[in-house]
Amino acid sequence: MKHSAIEIGTRLEAPAPQLRTVEAMLHDMESNLAPNARAVAQGKSKPFLPTMPAAEYEELKTKLRAQDRTAEKPVEAELEAEAEALPRAPIGLVGPNFAGATDVDGLIPPDTHGAVGLDHFVEVTNSHIDIFLRANPSQRTSISLAAFFGYTTRVLFDPRAVYDSVWNRWVVTADAFQESGTRQLFFVAISTTSNPLGSYFIYALNVTFNAGDFWDYPQLGYDQDSVIITANVFTASGGFRGADMFAVAKARLYNGLGFSVPVFTGLRATLAPPIVLDQNARTYLIAASGGSSLSLYTLTNSSRPNAIQLTGPVNVAVPAYTAPPDAPQPGTTSTLDTLDGRFVNASTQTGDFLWQVHTVNLVGYAAPKFYQINTATSSLVQSAFFFGTSTSFDFNASIAANGANDIYVTWTMTDPPRGTNAQVRFSGFDHNNGTTYSLSPGIAAFTSPTYFTGGRWGDYSAVTVDPRNTRRAWLVNEDVLTNHDWGSRIVGIGFTA
């Protein structure tokens, strides 16, 4: 199939980065030279920007909240039967289960994200970067985002962190609110070694390519040769312009060199890049645009600015889906925002398969659905819902796979009839159990003691495969401390047989 090539929209120019050490970052923070910039001008809560008109989004959510939910989810019995029949290697808690970052002075939602490396777990939130020693998580180094990136002009938000286990580098990104109609900075930090407590190359990129535009919801992935960035772009009047994408050669980023790369613009909303596990010559990005298809793009020559090509989108036929209802909580009328059906985190690409997950409407409930896509044929291999109980609302899901196609997922669940507040859950599937994948209702890693009144819920949950043992993974997700304060949980999971 011949795919149409996407025209390059603009170029991004970046000089050589600043080299900063964690020691200097901590000194700045302790000296109060780079305090964590609290959201004074914007207010503490960062609003969610749907890619459909805001009024249409609110109308849809209101309609879904009013739906009758007297019937049980129709596939509950089928899922439970499959779970009982499979001779699966059980997934369970095989590592630590400890509290991560908490609400200090950051935004709501916290946008919890992070990754596991050889010796550390790195968590980023809309407040701090927290670095935990794997062998002893009580050994923690906490640095405000402002001190980490050396930037205090505007508030930082939407952070991401990944670990490149081939080149043993950490990649940390964060967005900043606009300084002006022609300047909004996006930061990329690259560790100089596998040690996240060492030094970083800090790139400050101006991502305003059209005056007044707002760069939002950036996502982070990589293939064998490049680091890949995507984001939603909104006009000054709040209209959705399209998604942007650019890729930068690791050979330049990892060596602290400047770069000039093309930016592809006007792409499908909330385009998710992959984490590519092999040396595939083609890299696949995917978006959930609604209806009965997913939008698949093909990226080639990602590290070569003069030869890079993006083609697509190709529509991958899938069962029809719509945005999910918000999640109710026991003991309150406050709900948690489950977003608009977008993919909230990077995909995993291995061989001809691409794994992704999002939250959609299932007979009036919010429920995650995973997909296995065959990238060679641009077709769906399989998809399935997963959830805790017949009365639960399940959302905020992320997925990761290893090279053998074992998969791991984490998500949030509330269950008002059973009195269950926001709960961090996880599940997985062992590839040795066959090619038809079915996720169990999962295991609760942590149940919040109360409900949350903030409305927005951290939609940056993450699960990453352990580079020391790919039969294990680590997750980070949001929980509730008090009605107004968020916390987070970091959990080691894996197959126990």
Side-chain angles (χ1 to χ4, degrees):
M1 179 185 298
K2 186 176 181 180
H3 302 166
S4 58
I6 307 296
E7 292 186 4
I8 293 170
T10 185
R11 292 191 72 85
L12 176 63
E13 309 287 338
Q18 179 186 13
L19 182 65
R20 286 176 58 80
T21 65
V22 166
E23 182 180 15
M25 297 168 186
L26 288 168
H27 177 268
D28 285 351
M29 191 169 68
E30 291 170 359
S31 302
N32 208 33
L33 297 177
N36 184 54
R38 186 167 181 166
V40 176
Q42 292 81 20
K44 191 175 180 183
S45 179
K46 176 185 175 290
F48 174 63
L49 297 178
T51 53
M52 66 176 74
E56 182 181 329
Y57 178 72
E58 182 55 36
E59 181 181 359
L60 173 63
K61 287 289 191 174
T62 300
K63 181 180 178 181
L64 289 170
R65 284 194 291 267
Q67 284 187 354
D68 180 18
R69 302 187 185 93
T70 55
E72 287 192 353
K73 298 172 186 172
V75 292
E76 169 81 1
E78 180 182 343
L79 285 179
E80 289 182 350
E82 289 180 358
E84 289 295 326
L86 287 171
R88 69 175 72 241
I91 193 166
L93 291 164
V94 297
N97 181 353
F98 62 95
T102 58
D103 187 0
V104 179
D105 51 8
L107 294 166
I108 293 174
D111 291 341
T112 53
H113 198 267
V116 64
L118 292 175
D119 299 305
H120 299 85
F121 188 93
V122 172
E123 180 186 14
V124 285
T125 61
N126 288 330
S127 173
H128 283 69
I129 177 168
D130 289 273
I131 302 168
F132 300 88
L133 186 66
R134 281 179 49 145
N136 182 8
S138 64
Q139 293 190 25
R140 166 183 173 180
T141 302
S142 185
I143 309 169
S144 71
L145 284 187
F148 181 78
F149 289 110
Y151 176 81
T152 60
T153 305
R154 300 294 281 166
V155 174
L156 293 160
F157 64 96
D158 285 2
R160 305 268 185 179
V162 299
Y163 181 72
D164 183 343
S165 59
V166 174
W167 296 103
N168 294 315
R169 295 290 188 274
W170 292 92
V171 184
V172 183
T173 63
D175 212 351
F177 283 101
Q178 297 151 302
E179 294 181 13
S180 69
T182 58
R183 183 175 172 85
Q184 182 185 5
L185 294 185
F186 176 71
F187 290 88
V188 179
I190 308 291
S191 69
T192 57
T193 68
S194 64
N195 182 7
L197 293 172
S199 57
Y200 290 82
F201 296 120
I202 307 291
Y203 291 87
L205 311 176
N206 185 5
V207 290
T208 301
F209 305 119
N210 294 284
D213 278 3
F214 181 63
W215 172 279
D216 186 54
Y217 213 87
Q219 297 204 51
L220 172 63
Y222 61 81
D223 58 20
Q224 65 167 338
D225 297 320
S226 70
V227 172
I228 305 164
I229 307 291
T230 65
N232 287 332
V233 180
F234 295 86
T235 66
S237 61
F240 176 61
R241 186 182 292 280
D244 283 2
M245 188 281 294
F246 65 87
V248 185
K250 291 179 180 178
R252 302 201 70 81
L253 288 176
Y254 291 8
N255 287 288
L257 303 175
F259 59 85
S260 174
V261 297
V263 180
F264 295 91
T265 62
L267 308 175
R268 297 285 172 85
T270 321
L271 184 63
I275 301 294
V276 182
L277 302 183
D278 52 27
Q279 300 181 54
N280 200 314
R282 293 179 174 83
T283 300
Y284 295 92
L285 298 91
I286 196 165
S289 304
S292 56
S293 66
L294 306 176
S295 300
L296 188 68
Y297 291 86
T298 304
L299 176 66
T300 53
N301 295 318
S302 63
S303 65
R304 299 169 57 194
N306 296 325
I308 189 172
Q309 188 174 51
L310 184 70
T311 60
V314 173
N315 291 330
V316 178
V318 299
Y321 60 91
T322 60
D326 289 337
Q329 305 172 87
T332 180
T333 58
S334 296
T335 60
L336 300 177
D337 192 344
T338 58
L339 307 189
D340 55 3
R342 65 180 60 191
F343 295 136
V344 302
N345 207 348
S347 315
T348 300
Q349 179 183 328
T350 176
D352 289 335
F353 294 143
L354 189 70
W355 296 93
Q356 193 44 280
V357 63
H358 64 162
T359 306
V360 295
N361 181 21
L362 176 60
V363 295
Y365 293 86
K369 188 177 215 180
F370 77 83
Y371 299 93
Q372 182 186 20
I373 306 295
N374 186 320
T375 55
T377 59
S378 300
S379 62
L380 177 67
V381 178
Q382 59 186 315
S383 64
F385 285 105
F386 56 96
F387 43 81
T389 76
S390 61
T391 55
S392 63
F393 288 73
D394 303 77
F395 57 101
N396 185 18
S398 295
I399 191 169
N402 61 21
N405 288 302
D406 298 320
I407 63 171
Y408 308 89
V409 294
T410 183
W411 74 97
T412 297
M413 185 193 87
T414 66
D415 194 342
R418 291 173 167 82
T420 306
N421 291 306
Q423 192 177 75
V424 175
R425 294 185 74 85
F426 66 89
S427 186
F429 188 88
D430 180 358
H431 79 282
N432 294 305
N433 288 326
T435 57
T436 301
Y437 283 52
S438 175
L439 291 170
S440 71
I443 296 171
F446 182 80
T447 303
S448 299
T450 188
Y451 59 84
F452 187 65
T453 58
R456 281 298 313 281
W457 191 255
D459 40 283
Y460 273 39
S461 68
V463 56
T464 54
V465 175
D466 191 333
R468 289 192 177 277
N469 181 352
T470 63
R471 293 279 286 175
R472 296 187 174 186
W474 290 56
L475 67 88
V476 59
N477 212 333
E478 183 180 354
D479 58 44
V480 180
L481 299 181
T482 72
N483 296 146
H484 305 285
D485 295 311
W486 54 260
S488 63
R489 205 78 188 170
I490 298 167
V491 184
I493 64 175
F495 297 104
T496 57

